[in-house]
Amino acid sequence: ASTLGAAAAQSGRYFGTAIAASRLGDSTYTTIAGREFNMVTAENEMKPDATEPQRGQFTFSAGDQIYNWATQRGMKVRGHTLAWHAQQPGWMQSLGGSSLRQAMIDHINGVMAHYKGKLAAWDVVNEAFNEDGSRRQSNLQGTGNDWIEVAFRTARNADPSAKLCYNDYNIENWSYGKTQGVYRMIQDFRSRGVPIDCVGLQTHFTGGSSLPSNFQTTLSSFAALGVDVALTEVDVTNASTTQYAGLTQACMNVPRCIGITVWGVRDSDSWRSSESPLLFDGGGNKKAAYTSVLNALNAA
Ligand code: G3I
């Protein structure tokens, strides 16, 4: 196949990108995105600060713009994200204890009701762990260690059709503390019946030319817990072709690795634009990394 989405679809997978609503008027951007991808994540527009700027007042205009753009082109959409220490609206940042716990529950219910039955998956909880595998201190963590499972139980009730994911960065290296901390949480949730369907590995790779150690082992180990895995925010310093080919190959080698999403279209669209980490250059031209990914998808 000659596009990323079609090549991934040959093995039942998807290939996605993050979309920013502010760029939907740029025809170079929309031409590439519309041609190459079959899954979309809103880069910022479905986050808590965007969707509930005032308590109890939900706004979905930017999120819906992306949802409509994607689904009109036959793409699916991943929701990102419902409970996170960052990008909280101001009113939420100043809450704690039982009032924050209730606000989190109300937020999940409010946003998921709007998108009920429409999204392939939600990143229910984002980035809740420290590098050593302990829980990140945050106002959410301050509401009690059970906040993550409460978020997932609330989400399951709010929209039983959406796959519910835990999403984090630096959980690609199997021998890393954070990876093990997240693994133990998923294992615990699965053993106690806490609803969770998938783990998102953000896959923001920095430096080096090889993959983090045992990357494929990480994918297969999470999958062995009975959850899907996905690479949810891929970008790679200088778009190393070796790392892009390797991460794609690793996903193809793991049956429950259901898809790959790159975190933007062109280098100029990236939050790390100075590192040129994506598959298209600022002019919209395919980079060598694009070809390495496409070939790996086609070989699977
Ligand atoms: O929209 C405002 C604009 O009105 C204002 O003029 C401008 C001035 O600073 O800021 C704009 O908001 C920025 C927003 O991106 C949209 O461009 C925020 O400042 C900026 O903080 C925000 O950055 C986003 C970042 O998450 C925030 O945490 C990045 O675009 C986005 O790529 C990044 O994505 C995260 C994932 O959600 C989670 N994993 C890590 C990943 C990279 O940081």
Side-chain angles (χ1 to χ4, degrees):
S2 62
T3 65
L4 300 169
Q10 294 171 137
S11 64
R13 295 179 172 87
Y14 63 80
F15 206 98
T17 188
I19 291 287
S22 61
R23 297 191 196 275
L24 289 176
D26 174 339
S27 64
T28 306
Y29 179 85
T30 54
T31 298
I32 298 169
R35 183 186 69 219
E36 294 290 339
F37 303 103
N38 53 13
M39 180 69 82
V40 159
T41 306
E43 188 172 2
N44 290 294
E45 294 78 353
M46 296 187 191
K47 292 172 177 176
D49 59 349
T51 53
E52 197 180 0
Q54 303 298 328
R55 189 166 187 177
Q57 294 180 15
F58 292 88
T59 62
F60 298 108
S61 47
D64 286 354
Q65 217 187 320
I66 292 176
Y67 175 85
N68 291 332
W69 183 87
T71 55
Q72 282 161 8
R73 286 159 182 78
M75 305 175 177
K76 293 182 179 175
V77 178
R78 300 185 79 257
H80 174 78
T81 177
L82 296 167
W84 189 20
H85 67 278
Q87 283 182 286
Q88 293 181 2
W91 63 265
M92 190 183 281
Q93 292 173 29
S94 59
L95 293 184
S98 56
S99 59
L100 176 60
R101 176 65 65 91
Q102 191 59 49
M104 177 189 83
I105 292 169
D106 294 345
H107 181 77
I108 293 170
N109 283 326
V111 177
M112 290 189 78
H114 179 76
Y115 289 109
K116 189 171 183 177
K118 295 180 163 181
L119 302 187
W122 266 108
D123 291 332
V124 178
V125 171
N126 195 40
E127 302 176 1
F129 281 77
N130 290 318
E131 301 306 293
D132 67 0
S134 61
R135 288 288 187 88
R136 182 195 290 272
Q137 287 310 307
S138 69
N139 60 349
L140 289 165
Q141 182 65 22
T143 70
N145 201 53
D146 62 342
W147 72 275
I148 298 180
E149 67 182 87
V150 168
F152 277 89
R153 291 186 198 280
T154 304
R156 180 68 94 222
N157 285 329
D159 183 357
S161 75
K163 298 290 185 193
L164 305 181
C165 305
Y166 176 78
N167 192 54
D168 214 330
Y169 61 91
N170 288 354
I171 58 168
E172 295 82 19
N173 182 331
W174 179 241
S175 55
Y176 198 55
K178 189 175 186 176
T179 310
Q180 292 300 312
V182 172
Y183 178 83
R184 284 191 297 270
M185 180 186 74
I186 308 298
Q187 189 174 44
D188 170 53
F189 280 13
R190 296 291 298 167
S191 72
R192 291 189 296 111
V194 179
I196 185 162
D197 306 305
C198 34
V199 176
L201 295 89
Q202 293 183 11
T203 319
H204 295 294
F205 285 162
T206 50
S209 56
S210 55
L211 291 184
S213 84
N214 302 321
F215 181 64
Q216 189 178 313
T217 298
T218 306
L219 298 180
S220 57
S221 299
F222 277 121
L225 296 175
V227 291
D228 290 335
V229 295
L231 314 188
T232 53
E233 304 181 13
V234 175
D235 47 28
V236 177
T237 304
N238 296 324
S240 153
T241 53
T242 318
Q243 288 190 71
Y244 262 114
L247 69 88
T248 305
Q249 187 62 58
C251 181
M252 297 303 115
N253 288 347
V254 175
R256 290 199 78 152
C257 185
I258 60 172
I260 300 174
T261 296
V262 287
W263 205 238
V265 178
R266 302 160 299 192
D267 287 335
S268 50
D269 304 313
S270 171
W271 70 298
R272 309 166 57 185
S273 58
S274 66
E275 298 175 70
S276 304
L278 294 174
L279 301 179
F280 294 86
D281 69 20
N285 305 298
K286 294 170 182 172
K287 296 164 61 177
Y290 172 95
T291 308
S292 72
V293 169
L294 185 67
N295 289 343
L297 295 171
N298 278 328

